[in-house]
Amino acid sequence: MMLAMASIMPAQAQSDDFGIWTEAGVEKKINKKLTLDAEAELRTRDDGFGELDRWSVGVGATYKLTGWLKASVGYVFLNDNNHKVNDSGKKYADYWGQRHRFNVSLTASQDFGDLTVSLRERWQYTYRPEKTVKRYSNVDNDDYDFGEYRDDHTYKGKGSNKWRNRLQLKYKLTKQWRPYVNAESTIGGSGLDKMRYAVGTEYRLSKQHSFDVRYLYQHVYKDEDEGNRHVLGLGYTYSF
């Protein structure tokens, strides 16, 4: 299914952006089946350090149903740096907006020697509260001049449901190194919204400290809030 969706070509070409996504998390193993976690993330866009894209904090819980199947729930608070653009391509609103995201997941995995194949199915609901912002005319993007005040505009609150599917292959190269590749689709009410492809590696310094480095490419089909993007991802997790 994922391979078939990946072959769909976009309706129109979009320019690619570059960003850096950094995240830090903590995990607490309550018992053999239940694990709790918390995470903070910071994203940039426009040539990496050019501009903050968003920051977020989240909490979650994972429960091991069987040796090969896990269930998880989570909540994330997101603070987004939004640019609204008119038909001429000039920004007419620039503001920070908040979103609340909830998710429920099932992850199945199977080991083939040192290779682990996993499939994660996730339902995701995101709610964006109502927001009133200032809009401007005669915007000069080159000089970051937002021009003359035009009016106040209210974006009504809205919610969206997404279905995300991620297939991943991870290989236990040594006790410390675990390289992986994965592909993830995001599907909305009108079909495929975006695809993400990643290649990276985990480095387990010890039982408590682990790091993650990856390259990710995001291809957008229908999500108007995001574009095609090359991403350098850096992560750290503390487990206890």
PDB file of all heavy atoms in Angstrom, residues 110-117 168-181 200-204 207:
ATOM      1  N   GLN A 110       8.798  -7.540  14.006  1.00  0.00           N
ATOM      2  CA  GLN A 110       9.268  -8.910  13.890  1.00  0.00           C
ATOM      3  C   GLN A 110      10.772  -8.906  13.636  1.00  0.00           C
ATOM      4  O   GLN A 110      11.265  -8.137  12.795  1.00  0.00           O
ATOM      5  CB  GLN A 110       8.553  -9.640  12.750  1.00  0.00           C
ATOM      6  CG  GLN A 110       8.974 -11.084  12.556  1.00  0.00           C
ATOM      7  CD  GLN A 110       8.633 -11.956  13.748  1.00  0.00           C
ATOM      8  OE1 GLN A 110       7.500 -11.948  14.209  1.00  0.00           O
ATOM      9  NE2 GLN A 110       9.610 -12.697  14.259  1.00  0.00           N
ATOM     10  N   ASP A 111      11.505  -9.724  14.372  1.00  0.00           N
ATOM     11  CA  ASP A 111      12.953  -9.837  14.210  1.00  0.00           C
ATOM     12  C   ASP A 111      13.303 -10.949  13.240  1.00  0.00           C
ATOM     13  O   ASP A 111      12.727 -12.051  13.285  1.00  0.00           O
ATOM     14  CB  ASP A 111      13.629 -10.123  15.560  1.00  0.00           C
ATOM     15  CG  ASP A 111      13.518  -8.957  16.521  1.00  0.00           C
ATOM     16  OD1 ASP A 111      13.379  -7.812  16.056  1.00  0.00           O
ATOM     17  OD2 ASP A 111      13.564  -9.189  17.746  1.00  0.00           O
ATOM     18  N   PHE A 112      14.269 -10.652  12.378  1.00  0.00           N
ATOM     19  CA  PHE A 112      14.849 -11.634  11.469  1.00  0.00           C
ATOM     20  C   PHE A 112      16.354 -11.599  11.701  1.00  0.00           C
ATOM     21  O   PHE A 112      17.088 -10.912  10.997  1.00  0.00           O
ATOM     22  CB  PHE A 112      14.508 -11.313  10.016  1.00  0.00           C
ATOM     23  CG  PHE A 112      13.027 -11.306   9.730  1.00  0.00           C
ATOM     24  CD1 PHE A 112      12.300 -10.125   9.827  1.00  0.00           C
ATOM     25  CD2 PHE A 112      12.376 -12.476   9.374  1.00  0.00           C
ATOM     26  CE1 PHE A 112      10.940 -10.112   9.560  1.00  0.00           C
ATOM     27  CE2 PHE A 112      11.008 -12.468   9.110  1.00  0.00           C
ATOM     28  CZ  PHE A 112      10.287 -11.286   9.210  1.00  0.00           C
ATOM     29  N   GLY A 113      16.807 -12.307  12.722  1.00  0.00           N
ATOM     30  CA  GLY A 113      18.194 -12.195  13.133  1.00  0.00           C
ATOM     31  C   GLY A 113      18.432 -10.816  13.721  1.00  0.00           C
ATOM     32  O   GLY A 113      17.734 -10.393  14.654  1.00  0.00           O
ATOM     33  N   ASP A 114      19.390 -10.068  13.184  1.00  0.00           N
ATOM     34  CA  ASP A 114      19.684  -8.713  13.665  1.00  0.00           C
ATOM     35  C   ASP A 114      18.819  -7.638  13.000  1.00  0.00           C
ATOM     36  O   ASP A 114      18.923  -6.464  13.341  1.00  0.00           O
ATOM     37  CB  ASP A 114      21.164  -8.385  13.418  1.00  0.00           C
ATOM     38  CG  ASP A 114      22.079  -9.210  14.318  1.00  0.00           C
ATOM     39  OD1 ASP A 114      21.663  -9.529  15.447  1.00  0.00           O
ATOM     40  OD2 ASP A 114      23.201  -9.536  13.874  1.00  0.00           O
ATOM     41  N   LEU A 115      17.982  -8.043  12.057  1.00  0.00           N
ATOM     42  CA  LEU A 115      17.109  -7.101  11.361  1.00  0.00           C
ATOM     43  C   LEU A 115      15.715  -7.089  11.996  1.00  0.00           C
ATOM     44  O   LEU A 115      15.126  -8.157  12.207  1.00  0.00           O
ATOM     45  CB  LEU A 115      16.993  -7.477   9.886  1.00  0.00           C
ATOM     46  CG  LEU A 115      16.035  -6.628   9.039  1.00  0.00           C
ATOM     47  CD1 LEU A 115      16.565  -5.195   8.912  1.00  0.00           C
ATOM     48  CD2 LEU A 115      15.829  -7.262   7.660  1.00  0.00           C
ATOM     49  N   THR A 116      15.209  -5.901  12.304  1.00  0.00           N
ATOM     50  CA  THR A 116      13.861  -5.747  12.854  1.00  0.00           C
ATOM     51  C   THR A 116      13.004  -4.982  11.852  1.00  0.00           C
ATOM     52  O   THR A 116      13.373  -3.891  11.412  1.00  0.00           O
ATOM     53  CB  THR A 116      13.879  -4.990  14.189  1.00  0.00           C
ATOM     54  OG1 THR A 116      14.664  -5.712  15.135  1.00  0.00           O
ATOM     55  CG2 THR A 116      12.464  -4.828  14.740  1.00  0.00           C
ATOM     56  N   VAL A 117      11.868  -5.573  11.492  1.00  0.00           N
ATOM     57  CA  VAL A 117      10.901  -4.941  10.600  1.00  0.00           C
ATOM     58  C   VAL A 117       9.688  -4.553  11.433  1.00  0.00           C
ATOM     59  O   VAL A 117       9.146  -5.382  12.173  1.00  0.00           O
ATOM     60  CB  VAL A 117      10.483  -5.886   9.457  1.00  0.00           C
ATOM     61  CG1 VAL A 117       9.474  -5.193   8.529  1.00  0.00           C
ATOM     62  CG2 VAL A 117      11.700  -6.340   8.667  1.00  0.00           C
ATOM     63  N   GLN A 168       9.306   0.455   8.791  1.00  0.00           N
ATOM     64  CA  GLN A 168      10.706   0.701   9.135  1.00  0.00           C
ATOM     65  C   GLN A 168      11.510  -0.598   9.187  1.00  0.00           C
ATOM     66  O   GLN A 168      11.013  -1.632   9.641  1.00  0.00           O
ATOM     67  CB  GLN A 168      10.794   1.399  10.491  1.00  0.00           C
ATOM     68  CG  GLN A 168      12.224   1.637  10.972  1.00  0.00           C
ATOM     69  CD  GLN A 168      12.302   2.567  12.157  1.00  0.00           C
ATOM     70  OE1 GLN A 168      12.281   3.785  11.994  1.00  0.00           O
ATOM     71  NE2 GLN A 168      12.378   2.011  13.358  1.00  0.00           N
ATOM     72  N   LEU A 169      12.756  -0.497   8.713  1.00  0.00           N
ATOM     73  CA  LEU A 169      13.732  -1.581   8.827  1.00  0.00           C
ATOM     74  C   LEU A 169      14.904  -1.056   9.631  1.00  0.00           C
ATOM     75  O   LEU A 169      15.501  -0.024   9.288  1.00  0.00           O
ATOM     76  CB  LEU A 169      14.226  -2.043   7.449  1.00  0.00           C
ATOM     77  CG  LEU A 169      13.312  -2.955   6.621  1.00  0.00           C
ATOM     78  CD1 LEU A 169      12.090  -2.187   6.118  1.00  0.00           C
ATOM     79  CD2 LEU A 169      14.085  -3.546   5.441  1.00  0.00           C
ATOM     80  N   LYS A 170      15.246  -1.781  10.714  1.00  0.00           N
ATOM     81  CA  LYS A 170      16.355  -1.386  11.582  1.00  0.00           C
ATOM     82  C   LYS A 170      17.294  -2.579  11.768  1.00  0.00           C
ATOM     83  O   LYS A 170      16.838  -3.707  11.994  1.00  0.00           O
ATOM     84  CB  LYS A 170      15.834  -0.902  12.936  1.00  0.00           C
ATOM     85  CG  LYS A 170      16.934  -0.427  13.884  1.00  0.00           C
ATOM     86  CD  LYS A 170      16.369  -0.080  15.260  1.00  0.00           C
ATOM     87  CE  LYS A 170      15.476   1.128  15.187  1.00  0.00           C
ATOM     88  NZ  LYS A 170      15.032   1.546  16.550  1.00  0.00           N
ATOM     89  N   TYR A 171      18.597  -2.309  11.686  1.00  0.00           N
ATOM     90  CA  TYR A 171      19.580  -3.384  11.762  1.00  0.00           C
ATOM     91  C   TYR A 171      20.507  -3.177  12.955  1.00  0.00           C
ATOM     92  O   TYR A 171      21.052  -2.070  13.147  1.00  0.00           O
ATOM     93  CB  TYR A 171      20.422  -3.437  10.472  1.00  0.00           C
ATOM     94  CG  TYR A 171      21.339  -4.622  10.399  1.00  0.00           C
ATOM     95  CD1 TYR A 171      20.834  -5.889  10.120  1.00  0.00           C
ATOM     96  CD2 TYR A 171      22.710  -4.495  10.615  1.00  0.00           C
ATOM     97  CE1 TYR A 171      21.665  -6.998  10.052  1.00  0.00           C
ATOM     98  CE2 TYR A 171      23.544  -5.584  10.557  1.00  0.00           C
ATOM     99  CZ  TYR A 171      23.028  -6.844  10.276  1.00  0.00           C
ATOM    100  OH  TYR A 171      23.852  -7.929  10.225  1.00  0.00           O
ATOM    101  N   LYS A 172      20.678  -4.224  13.755  1.00  0.00           N
ATOM    102  CA  LYS A 172      21.577  -4.166  14.912  1.00  0.00           C
ATOM    103  C   LYS A 172      22.993  -4.458  14.428  1.00  0.00           C
ATOM    104  O   LYS A 172      23.431  -5.596  14.378  1.00  0.00           O
ATOM    105  CB  LYS A 172      21.144  -5.163  15.978  1.00  0.00           C
ATOM    106  CG  LYS A 172      21.953  -5.071  17.266  1.00  0.00           C
ATOM    107  CD  LYS A 172      21.460  -6.054  18.316  1.00  0.00           C
ATOM    108  CE  LYS A 172      22.275  -5.961  19.591  1.00  0.00           C
ATOM    109  NZ  LYS A 172      21.825  -6.945  20.611  1.00  0.00           N
ATOM    110  N   LEU A 173      23.701  -3.385  14.066  1.00  0.00           N
ATOM    111  CA  LEU A 173      25.044  -3.543  13.525  1.00  0.00           C
ATOM    112  C   LEU A 173      26.029  -3.947  14.616  1.00  0.00           C
ATOM    113  O   LEU A 173      26.838  -4.870  14.437  1.00  0.00           O
ATOM    114  CB  LEU A 173      25.484  -2.237  12.872  1.00  0.00           C
ATOM    115  CG  LEU A 173      26.783  -2.256  12.082  1.00  0.00           C
ATOM    116  CD1 LEU A 173      26.682  -3.218  10.903  1.00  0.00           C
ATOM    117  CD2 LEU A 173      27.119  -0.849  11.588  1.00  0.00           C
ATOM    118  N   THR A 174      25.992  -3.239  15.747  1.00  0.00           N
ATOM    119  CA  THR A 174      26.773  -3.564  16.943  1.00  0.00           C
ATOM    120  C   THR A 174      25.877  -3.285  18.153  1.00  0.00           C
ATOM    121  O   THR A 174      24.713  -2.934  18.009  1.00  0.00           O
ATOM    122  CB  THR A 174      28.045  -2.695  17.042  1.00  0.00           C
ATOM    123  OG1 THR A 174      27.666  -1.330  17.260  1.00  0.00           O
ATOM    124  CG2 THR A 174      28.876  -2.794  15.768  1.00  0.00           C
ATOM    125  N   LYS A 175      26.434  -3.392  19.349  1.00  0.00           N
ATOM    126  CA  LYS A 175      25.662  -3.079  20.555  1.00  0.00           C
ATOM    127  C   LYS A 175      25.271  -1.607  20.597  1.00  0.00           C
ATOM    128  O   LYS A 175      24.247  -1.245  21.173  1.00  0.00           O
ATOM    129  CB  LYS A 175      26.463  -3.430  21.810  1.00  0.00           C
ATOM    130  CG  LYS A 175      26.641  -4.915  22.036  1.00  0.00           C
ATOM    131  CD  LYS A 175      27.387  -5.183  23.342  1.00  0.00           C
ATOM    132  CE  LYS A 175      27.530  -6.675  23.593  1.00  0.00           C
ATOM    133  NZ  LYS A 175      28.246  -6.953  24.872  1.00  0.00           N
ATOM    134  N   GLN A 176      26.107  -0.753  19.955  1.00  0.00           N
ATOM    135  CA  GLN A 176      25.838   0.685  19.988  1.00  0.00           C
ATOM    136  C   GLN A 176      25.079   1.186  18.756  1.00  0.00           C
ATOM    137  O   GLN A 176      24.191   2.024  18.869  1.00  0.00           O
ATOM    138  CB  GLN A 176      27.152   1.477  20.107  1.00  0.00           C
ATOM    139  CG  GLN A 176      27.827   1.401  21.463  1.00  0.00           C
ATOM    140  CD  GLN A 176      28.577   0.099  21.668  1.00  0.00           C
ATOM    141  OE1 GLN A 176      29.116  -0.470  20.706  1.00  0.00           O
ATOM    142  NE2 GLN A 176      28.608  -0.383  22.896  1.00  0.00           N
ATOM    143  N   TRP A 177      25.432   0.687  17.574  1.00  0.00           N
ATOM    144  CA  TRP A 177      24.920   1.257  16.332  1.00  0.00           C
ATOM    145  C   TRP A 177      23.741   0.462  15.791  1.00  0.00           C
ATOM    146  O   TRP A 177      23.818  -0.758  15.635  1.00  0.00           O
ATOM    147  CB  TRP A 177      26.024   1.311  15.275  1.00  0.00           C
ATOM    148  CG  TRP A 177      27.138   2.250  15.629  1.00  0.00           C
ATOM    149  CD1 TRP A 177      28.324   1.920  16.205  1.00  0.00           C
ATOM    150  CD2 TRP A 177      27.160   3.665  15.443  1.00  0.00           C
ATOM    151  NE1 TRP A 177      29.100   3.035  16.387  1.00  0.00           N
ATOM    152  CE2 TRP A 177      28.404   4.132  15.932  1.00  0.00           C
ATOM    153  CE3 TRP A 177      26.260   4.579  14.914  1.00  0.00           C
ATOM    154  CZ2 TRP A 177      28.752   5.473  15.892  1.00  0.00           C
ATOM    155  CZ3 TRP A 177      26.606   5.920  14.880  1.00  0.00           C
ATOM    156  CH2 TRP A 177      27.848   6.352  15.366  1.00  0.00           C
ATOM    157  N   ARG A 178      22.661   1.184  15.446  1.00  0.00           N
ATOM    158  CA  ARG A 178      21.467   0.575  14.864  1.00  0.00           C
ATOM    159  C   ARG A 178      20.962   1.440  13.693  1.00  0.00           C
ATOM    160  O   ARG A 178      20.088   2.286  13.878  1.00  0.00           O
ATOM    161  CB  ARG A 178      20.372   0.404  15.920  1.00  0.00           C
ATOM    162  CG  ARG A 178      20.678  -0.724  16.913  1.00  0.00           C
ATOM    163  CD  ARG A 178      19.698  -0.707  18.078  1.00  0.00           C
ATOM    164  NE  ARG A 178      19.801  -1.898  18.895  1.00  0.00           N
ATOM    165  CZ  ARG A 178      20.735  -2.110  19.806  1.00  0.00           C
ATOM    166  NH1 ARG A 178      21.661  -1.181  20.011  1.00  0.00           N
ATOM    167  NH2 ARG A 178      20.746  -3.223  20.526  1.00  0.00           N
ATOM    168  N   PRO A 179      21.519   1.283  12.511  1.00  0.00           N
ATOM    169  CA  PRO A 179      21.036   2.047  11.341  1.00  0.00           C
ATOM    170  C   PRO A 179      19.635   1.610  10.931  1.00  0.00           C
ATOM    171  O   PRO A 179      19.232   0.466  11.180  1.00  0.00           O
ATOM    172  CB  PRO A 179      22.071   1.722  10.262  1.00  0.00           C
ATOM    173  CG  PRO A 179      22.675   0.426  10.692  1.00  0.00           C
ATOM    174  CD  PRO A 179      22.652   0.404  12.176  1.00  0.00           C
ATOM    175  N   TYR A 180      18.910   2.530  10.274  1.00  0.00           N
ATOM    176  CA  TYR A 180      17.538   2.231   9.888  1.00  0.00           C
ATOM    177  C   TYR A 180      17.141   3.044   8.659  1.00  0.00           C
ATOM    178  O   TYR A 180      17.760   4.065   8.328  1.00  0.00           O
ATOM    179  CB  TYR A 180      16.566   2.541  11.038  1.00  0.00           C
ATOM    180  CG  TYR A 180      16.551   3.988  11.459  1.00  0.00           C
ATOM    181  CD1 TYR A 180      15.755   4.930  10.809  1.00  0.00           C
ATOM    182  CD2 TYR A 180      17.349   4.425  12.527  1.00  0.00           C
ATOM    183  CE1 TYR A 180      15.746   6.254  11.191  1.00  0.00           C
ATOM    184  CE2 TYR A 180      17.350   5.746  12.911  1.00  0.00           C
ATOM    185  CZ  TYR A 180      16.551   6.657  12.249  1.00  0.00           C
ATOM    186  OH  TYR A 180      16.553   7.987  12.618  1.00  0.00           O
ATOM    187  N   VAL A 181      16.085   2.570   8.008  1.00  0.00           N
ATOM    188  CA  VAL A 181      15.407   3.314   6.948  1.00  0.00           C
ATOM    189  C   VAL A 181      13.916   3.174   7.200  1.00  0.00           C
ATOM    190  O   VAL A 181      13.448   2.161   7.743  1.00  0.00           O
ATOM    191  CB  VAL A 181      15.753   2.794   5.531  1.00  0.00           C
ATOM    192  CG1 VAL A 181      17.218   3.018   5.217  1.00  0.00           C
ATOM    193  CG2 VAL A 181      15.396   1.317   5.402  1.00  0.00           C
ATOM    194  N   GLY A 200      18.817   6.833   8.736  1.00  0.00           N
ATOM    195  CA  GLY A 200      19.574   7.333   9.884  1.00  0.00           C
ATOM    196  C   GLY A 200      20.125   6.206  10.727  1.00  0.00           C
ATOM    197  O   GLY A 200      20.139   5.044  10.304  1.00  0.00           O
ATOM    198  N   THR A 201      20.561   6.567  11.918  1.00  0.00           N
ATOM    199  CA  THR A 201      21.087   5.572  12.821  1.00  0.00           C
ATOM    200  C   THR A 201      20.885   5.994  14.270  1.00  0.00           C
ATOM    201  O   THR A 201      20.912   7.180  14.586  1.00  0.00           O
ATOM    202  CB  THR A 201      22.589   5.316  12.573  1.00  0.00           C
ATOM    203  OG1 THR A 201      23.042   4.246  13.421  1.00  0.00           O
ATOM    204  CG2 THR A 201      23.419   6.560  12.865  1.00  0.00           C
ATOM    205  N   GLU A 202      20.643   5.006  15.111  1.00  0.00           N
ATOM    206  CA  GLU A 202      20.669   5.212  16.551  1.00  0.00           C
ATOM    207  C   GLU A 202      22.068   4.866  17.061  1.00  0.00           C
ATOM    208  O   GLU A 202      22.724   3.953  16.538  1.00  0.00           O
ATOM    209  CB  GLU A 202      19.654   4.320  17.260  1.00  0.00           C
ATOM    210  CG  GLU A 202      18.213   4.656  16.994  1.00  0.00           C
ATOM    211  CD  GLU A 202      17.272   3.739  17.766  1.00  0.00           C
ATOM    212  OE1 GLU A 202      17.767   2.944  18.606  1.00  0.00           O
ATOM    213  OE2 GLU A 202      16.056   3.810  17.529  1.00  0.00           O
ATOM    214  N   TYR A 203      22.505   5.604  18.069  1.00  0.00           N
ATOM    215  CA  TYR A 203      23.758   5.273  18.737  1.00  0.00           C
ATOM    216  C   TYR A 203      23.471   5.182  20.230  1.00  0.00           C
ATOM    217  O   TYR A 203      23.125   6.180  20.867  1.00  0.00           O
ATOM    218  CB  TYR A 203      24.828   6.332  18.482  1.00  0.00           C
ATOM    219  CG  TYR A 203      26.113   6.049  19.232  1.00  0.00           C
ATOM    220  CD1 TYR A 203      26.939   4.997  18.845  1.00  0.00           C
ATOM    221  CD2 TYR A 203      26.479   6.805  20.338  1.00  0.00           C
ATOM    222  CE1 TYR A 203      28.112   4.716  19.539  1.00  0.00           C
ATOM    223  CE2 TYR A 203      27.651   6.537  21.031  1.00  0.00           C
ATOM    224  CZ  TYR A 203      28.466   5.490  20.623  1.00  0.00           C
ATOM    225  OH  TYR A 203      29.611   5.204  21.310  1.00  0.00           O
ATOM    226  N   ARG A 204      23.564   3.969  20.783  1.00  0.00           N
ATOM    227  CA  ARG A 204      23.261   3.732  22.187  1.00  0.00           C
ATOM    228  C   ARG A 204      24.555   3.776  22.993  1.00  0.00           C
ATOM    229  O   ARG A 204      25.299   2.801  23.074  1.00  0.00           O
ATOM    230  CB  ARG A 204      22.541   2.403  22.364  1.00  0.00           C
ATOM    231  CG  ARG A 204      21.233   2.347  21.591  1.00  0.00           C
ATOM    232  CD  ARG A 204      20.405   1.128  21.916  1.00  0.00           C
ATOM    233  NE  ARG A 204      19.162   1.121  21.158  1.00  0.00           N
ATOM    234  CZ  ARG A 204      18.184   0.222  21.324  1.00  0.00           C
ATOM    235  NH1 ARG A 204      18.345  -0.758  22.215  1.00  0.00           N
ATOM    236  NH2 ARG A 204      17.078   0.296  20.601  1.00  0.00           N
ATOM    237  N   LYS A 207      22.802   2.194  28.566  1.00  0.00           N
ATOM    238  CA  LYS A 207      21.391   1.887  28.760  1.00  0.00           C
ATOM    239  C   LYS A 207      20.574   3.149  29.005  1.00  0.00           C
ATOM    240  O   LYS A 207      19.381   3.180  28.736  1.00  0.00           O
ATOM    241  CB  LYS A 207      21.219   0.920  29.926  1.00  0.00           C
ATOM    242  CG  LYS A 207      21.743  -0.486  29.662  1.00  0.00           C
ATOM    243  CD  LYS A 207      21.468  -1.402  30.845  1.00  0.00           C
ATOM    244  CE  LYS A 207      21.946  -2.826  30.575  1.00  0.00           C
ATOM    245  NZ  LYS A 207      21.692  -3.728  31.728  1.00  0.00           N
TER     246      LYS A 207
END
